[in-house]
Amino acid sequence: MTKYVFVTGGVVSSLGKGIAAASLAAILESRGLKVTIIKMDPYINVDPGTMSPFQHGEVFVTEDGAETDLDLGHYERFITPKMHKANNFTTGQIYRNVLRKERRGEYLGKTVQVIPHITNEIQDFIARGAHAAGDPDIALVEIGGTVGDIESLPFLEAVRQLSLRAGRNNTCFIHLTLVPYIASAGELKTKPTQHSVGELRKIGISPNVLLCRADRKIPDDERAKISLFANVPMDAVISVWDVDTIYKVPMMLHEQGLDEIVCRCLDLNPKPADLSAWEKVVDRLEHPKDTVKLAMIGKYDLKDSYKSLNEALIHAGIHTGHHVDVTFIEAEILEKEGTDCLKGMDAILVPGGFGKRGTEGKIKAIEYARKNDIPYLGICLGMQLAVIEFARHVCGLGGANSTELDPETPHPVVALITEWKDHTGVIEKRDEDSDLGGTMRLGKQVVPIKPGTLAAEVYGKEVGERHRHRYEVNNSYCDQFEKAGMVISARTPGENLPEIMELPDHSFFIGVQFHPEVNHSENGVAMIRNFLYEVCGAKGDWTMEDYCRTAIAQIREKIGGKLDTQELDAEMESLRKQLRQLTGTKDRLGEQIDALDYDDPHYTRKAQDLQERQDKLYDQIAAIEVSMAEVQTRMDNIRQRRISTDNVYQFLLYFDKLYGQFTDLEKKTFMNSFIERVEIFPERQSDGRIIKRIEFRFPVYIQGAERTALSWDKTDMSETIVLLQRGTL
């Protein structure tokens, strides 16, 4: 039976419910639990497909062709399972279903009401989403909007009913709320959180956990205050502060015990969490080898409208060891001011989009990339505009355009395709009068690739990526394009529609009709990663041997370096100085209070004023003490790591000499003393590895957690053991 975790938000929107839900799901998955995530959106739109990118942000496309909320992209980036249509639904879909049932007579003529019909339908959609995911151990359900909004009330009432029906230890409520810092007062304010929890309790829901968002770590005294007034145990009041990358959030939540609280609430006892993969990601983000300057030519808000693309660039940079410095350039600026702003850029990328606005600026950027041999990647509209630019300036087809942008163009090199086959093989049709919603080519489609092309180097024999578009490159012009030097390196197998175009006489110039950025598998980021390889000069010839050499060099550098805590020492001294000053001021205020004359008619007001000033100082002192404790912990960790690293290194040096003197029997006896079982790959791996899994007779401390086994897959690898296995250390 699937258990449910409901994630709600309060006070304001955009606090990060999606990131919080995805992070918790990632931790639970690392503990061996099967997890899925469902998003409920309160808007009446049947899907976000026709909503403004400025208001809604990115529309995320699933493999089965659903246009969904952008949070589903976070879900796929954080956990293993792919999202489907059933993982996202809106109020519009709920009402549409209920009305269809009513018109079919399924309610037997009864009055259709919000309760029970709408709330029952919501519960059915939740259960359907869990079932479509294979009835996982836990389904996290994120409820869009904020508590107190009238739009979200049916969803909240539905999950309240569901928690009642599911029974004890089968549901858990997590409430994400804001704890703002008021600069003028110099304080964090807990009242908004208290009121938000109060609103939630009014409708019959008592949260099990509070995730308190703030721009800084919330001190224990404020957490205690929230705990008291919100009726939530203090250990379940979790501080969620601003971080420089979302990939630090799982570790932040795990360190505060969120996953353990949820498991206790749901009466689950899974294995300990292993977040070593997340630690690696963060380490690579914080220690890049180089920086790449990338110009993204768009026309919507950069943060949310191109969310998947921005995250895909980060992921690709992790693979290449580069920080990707994205400069967002508004396409309309290029139309007015020209392309001077593109000078000094390592690469140019034009993402997808709809409508005529800004397209001429994007075409100017594409022409600049083509003429100056700057690596270029065009995605969806970016490919179509690359074809338009090539048609105009290379093929001499003046006025060439897309019929979407100019219905009267003399050369419709991009046009509306009226018939195509979807991912299931069903023939879809459309015309100029078709509704905008639900009339795109959507979802995953597998396409063969022409051998000997750049696309073949990236993807191999075929590519299976997701689509979201109405207009296609017009086949009538393709012969003309190919004679002029363009290569159509992939076409759909049925309709023969161009999927990938490239220019072979260019360092890297490629356009794809699909969206590689939304698929976060190894194959899904291949295009963007290889784009960065070309930009960065990292050609994709990475090997385990190279990695081992780098890792060894880093270990030796760390071991041979000096113990450097100068910056932390200086920070600690500064904190001590602040503490002395604050303590002195506090003591003087205390002396002033003691010196007040009881007979003074203004005694009470003066004493109260001095006491309030002293209370604020107590808060500041407490904050300083917390900071000092954190700095001390960091210093202790550095010293401890240095000691343990040195000890390990000396042990390895000594053991190497000792092990070399063992007989074969002694070596076997020694290994059997601490290794229970070793699994071997059926065939030697491409990197030379033969060991698939090692089980130890006792727990070993690996990358921050006690484990009894190590396996070598894409997400779980111990560099130290790999080095030892290959005999390179």
Side-chain angles (χ1 to χ4, degrees):
M1 176 182 171
T2 298
K3 298 174 183 279
Y4 295 95
V5 176
F6 301 108
V7 182
T8 60
V11 186
V12 294
S13 59
S14 302
L15 288 179
K17 293 195 301 294
I19 297 295
S23 298
L24 174 58
I27 305 170
L28 295 172
E29 190 177 59
S30 80
R31 299 190 66 164
L33 296 168
K34 187 178 179 182
V35 182
T36 193
I37 315 179
I38 299 167
K39 174 70 184 293
M40 304 191 297
D41 281 306
Y43 47 78
I44 306 295
N45 307 67
V46 174
D47 57 52
T50 56
M51 296 176 71
S52 167
F54 288 103
Q55 181 183 13
H56 184 270
E58 176 191 59
V59 173
F60 186 81
V61 183
T62 62
E63 285 190 353
D64 57 350
E67 295 176 290
T68 69
D69 182 78
L70 62 84
D71 278 324
L72 269 73
H74 290 311
Y75 304 162
E76 282 204 5
R77 283 185 281 274
F78 276 67
I79 62 176
T80 304
K82 298 295 184 185
M83 298 294 107
H84 300 94
K85 289 181 180 180
N87 289 90
N88 183 214
F89 60 89
T90 69
T91 294
Q93 293 175 19
I94 296 295
Y95 276 85
R96 182 178 65 175
N97 252 35
V98 168
L99 290 173
R100 283 175 175 172
K101 289 181 178 179
E102 188 271 336
R103 302 315 294 160
R104 290 195 299 264
E106 293 187 22
Y107 298 122
L108 303 176
K110 295 179 180 177
T111 302
V112 179
Q113 298 174 293
V114 173
I115 302 174
H117 302 100
I118 297 297
T119 53
N120 284 350
E121 192 71 18
I122 293 170
Q123 293 175 65
D124 289 344
F125 267 66
I126 293 172
R128 191 181 309 164
H131 184 67
D135 297 315
D137 301 309
I138 298 176
L140 283 89
V141 182
E142 181 192 345
I143 302 170
T146 55
V147 172
D149 293 345
I150 192 170
E151 293 90 348
S152 300
L153 281 175
F155 287 132
L156 292 167
E157 172 61 20
V159 299
R160 185 196 68 80
Q161 294 176 15
L162 181 56
S163 69
L164 189 65
R165 292 172 179 174
R168 191 175 180 182
N169 298 127
N170 289 316
T171 59
C172 176
F173 286 92
I174 297 176
H175 189 52
L176 187 73
T177 184
L178 177 68
V179 181
Y181 178 78
I182 308 300
S184 59
E187 294 177 339
L188 287 165
K189 294 296 183 181
T190 65
K191 271 292 187 291
T193 292
Q194 296 175 38
H195 284 297
S196 181
V197 174
E199 286 292 320
L200 198 57
R201 293 173 68 186
K202 281 180 185 177
I203 58 178
I205 298 173
S206 294
N208 302 99
V209 181
L210 290 180
L211 300 183
C212 298
R213 284 283 290 113
D215 64 349
R216 64 202 67 203
K217 192 172 183 179
I218 300 173
D220 287 347
D221 56 342
E222 301 297 335
R223 290 176 57 240
K225 186 177 180 181
I226 293 169
S227 170
L228 180 65
F229 287 99
N231 197 37
V232 175
M234 186 171 170
D235 69 334
V237 180
I238 307 293
S239 177
V240 188
W241 58 93
D242 293 347
V243 288
D244 54 359
T245 171
I246 59 175
Y247 303 109
K248 289 183 178 180
V249 178
M251 289 174 289
M252 176 197 296
L253 299 179
H254 172 63
E255 287 167 0
Q256 298 180 77
L258 174 61
D259 53 304
E260 192 59 39
I261 295 168
V262 170
C263 288
R264 285 203 308 267
C265 182
L266 300 178
D267 195 24
L268 296 171
N269 188 30
K271 67 179 184 180
D274 177 14
L275 299 183
S276 56
W278 294 95
E279 293 169 1
K280 290 181 196 175
V281 168
V282 172
D283 182 68
R284 288 208 171 188
L285 281 172
E286 293 182 339
H287 302 94
K289 294 185 294 186
D290 202 356
T291 296
V292 179
K293 296 176 70 176
L294 174 71
M296 186 188 297
I297 318 299
K299 59 179 184 176
Y300 308 124
D301 172 66
L302 176 64
K303 187 176 181 181
D304 282 344
S305 300
Y306 304 109
K307 176 64 74 177
S308 287
L309 183 53
N310 286 323
E311 296 303 322
L313 289 167
I314 293 172
H315 289 193
I318 291 170
H319 282 280
T320 65
H322 290 68
H323 167 66
V324 185
D325 182 12
V326 179
T327 299
F328 180 71
I329 299 175
E330 174 62 52
E332 290 176 291
I333 293 177
L334 295 175
E335 295 175 356
K336 300 173 184 176
E337 302 177 6
T339 57
D340 286 347
C341 59
L342 298 175
K343 292 179 180 178
M345 294 293 170
D346 296 314
I348 295 172
L349 191 155
V350 175
F354 297 92
K356 185 177 181 179
R357 184 180 63 83
T359 52
E360 292 301 322
K362 294 185 177 188
I363 289 172
K364 283 187 177 182
I366 296 167
E367 183 181 17
Y368 181 89
R370 181 179 59 81
K371 288 184 174 180
N372 293 279
D373 199 35
I374 296 175
Y376 173 77
L377 176 61
I379 296 174
C380 196
L381 179 63
M383 169 182 157
Q384 295 176 5
L385 295 178
V387 170
I388 293 169
E389 191 278 330
F390 190 85
R392 289 179 184 179
H393 302 132
V394 179
C395 299
L397 302 176
N401 217 324
S402 166
T403 55
E404 177 193 13
L405 311 177
D406 180 10
E408 305 302 322
T409 174
H411 297 290
V413 296
V414 177
L416 186 71
I417 301 300
T418 59
E419 186 175 299
W420 76 102
K421 190 180 293 184
D422 71 8
H423 72 286
T424 63
V426 175
I427 300 295
E428 298 276 359
K429 294 183 178 181
R430 62 188 167 197
D431 57 37
E432 297 289 354
D433 297 321
S434 297
D435 293 338
L436 292 177
T439 60
M440 299 189 200
R441 183 149 68 97
L442 292 166
K444 182 177 179 180
Q445 189 167 7
V446 178
V447 177
I449 295 176
K450 186 177 182 179
T453 60
L454 179 58
E457 291 181 24
V458 175
Y459 281 115
K461 294 181 179 180
E462 63 181 25
V463 55
E465 296 286 12
R466 306 177 200 183
H467 299 72
R468 182 178 181 252
H469 62 277
R470 292 186 185 87
Y471 293 80
E472 313 270 0
V473 175
N474 191 341
N475 259 325
S476 303
Y477 289 88
C478 284
D479 287 344
Q480 204 168 341
F481 297 155
E482 289 179 313
K483 287 178 182 177
M486 180 187 292
V487 174
I488 309 296
S489 44
R491 292 175 177 272
T492 59
E495 307 83 1
N496 204 36
L497 300 173
E499 285 280 286
I500 306 176
M501 59 77 66
E502 57 188 69
L503 301 181
D505 296 330
H506 196 282
S507 60
F508 189 103
F509 193 106
I510 193 165
V512 296
Q513 185 58 75
F514 46 78
H515 289 266
E517 75 274 20
V518 300
N519 190 349
H520 298 278
S521 68
E522 283 292 314
N523 292 330
V525 296
M527 176 59 70
I528 295 173
R529 188 193 312 160
N530 276 268
F531 175 53
L532 290 181
Y533 284 153
E534 296 295 329
V535 174
C536 306
K539 295 294 184 180
D541 54 357
W542 180 90
T543 63
M544 180 61 77
E545 287 83 356
D546 296 332
Y547 180 76
C548 289
R549 283 194 292 269
T550 303
I552 292 168
Q554 290 174 346
I555 291 171
R556 287 174 176 165
E557 183 182 355
K558 289 179 181 178
I559 292 172
K562 295 180 179 179
L563 181 64
D564 188 7
T565 59
Q566 290 183 354
E567 291 186 6
L568 292 176
D569 289 335
E571 186 177 350
M572 179 66 84
E573 184 55 38
S574 174
L575 290 170
R576 289 193 184 108
K577 185 178 179 181
Q578 295 177 52
L579 183 63
R580 288 194 296 270
Q581 292 173 345
L582 291 171
T583 303
T585 305
K586 172 186 68 72
D587 292 342
R588 286 193 293 274
L589 287 173
E591 292 171 0
Q592 293 177 38
I593 294 172
D594 293 338
L596 290 175
D597 185 358
Y598 284 101
D599 297 328
D600 187 337
H602 303 293
Y603 171 82
T604 302
R605 181 180 59 79
K606 290 180 180 178
Q608 187 175 0
D609 180 61
L610 290 170
Q611 188 63 55
E612 287 177 357
R613 291 166 59 189
Q614 195 178 48
D615 288 343
K616 287 184 179 180
L617 286 170
Y618 274 115
D619 292 339
Q620 293 175 22
I621 289 170
I624 292 289
E625 289 173 341
V626 169
S627 298
M628 289 176 67
E630 291 176 351
V631 172
Q632 188 62 52
T633 300
R634 287 157 59 193
M635 293 171 69
D636 292 342
N637 287 340
I638 289 174
R639 293 190 176 98
Q640 184 59 42
R641 282 200 301 271
R642 178 64 60 200
I643 293 169
S644 61
T645 305
D646 286 339
N647 287 344
V648 168
Y649 185 63
Q650 293 298 323
F651 168 78
L652 289 174
L653 289 176
Y654 177 77
F655 176 74
D656 184 52
K657 297 176 183 177
L658 181 65
Y659 191 76
Q661 300 176 15
F662 284 179
T663 65
D664 289 342
L665 180 60
E666 289 171 334
K667 289 178 181 178
K668 186 176 180 180
T669 303
F670 178 81
M671 299 296 287
N672 287 338
S673 67
F674 63 92
I675 294 179
E676 177 71 31
R677 189 162 73 99
V678 178
E679 292 181 21
I680 307 296
F681 285 107
E683 299 179 355
R684 184 179 292 273
Q685 303 299 288
S686 58
D687 58 13
R689 290 183 290 115
I690 60 171
I691 297 178
K692 183 178 182 180
R693 179 181 172 87
I694 299 176
E695 290 184 8
F696 300 96
R697 294 188 182 276
F698 52 89
V700 293
Y701 199 74
I702 302 288
Q703 297 180 340
E706 280 194 352
R707 301 165 64 186
T708 56
L710 287 173
S711 59
W712 281 267
D713 54 32
K714 293 179 180 178
T715 60
D716 183 10
M717 182 184 294
S718 168
E719 291 91 347
T720 304
I721 300 297
V722 171
L723 294 174
L724 291 170
Q725 174 200 326
R726 296 180 63 83
T728 54
L729 216 152

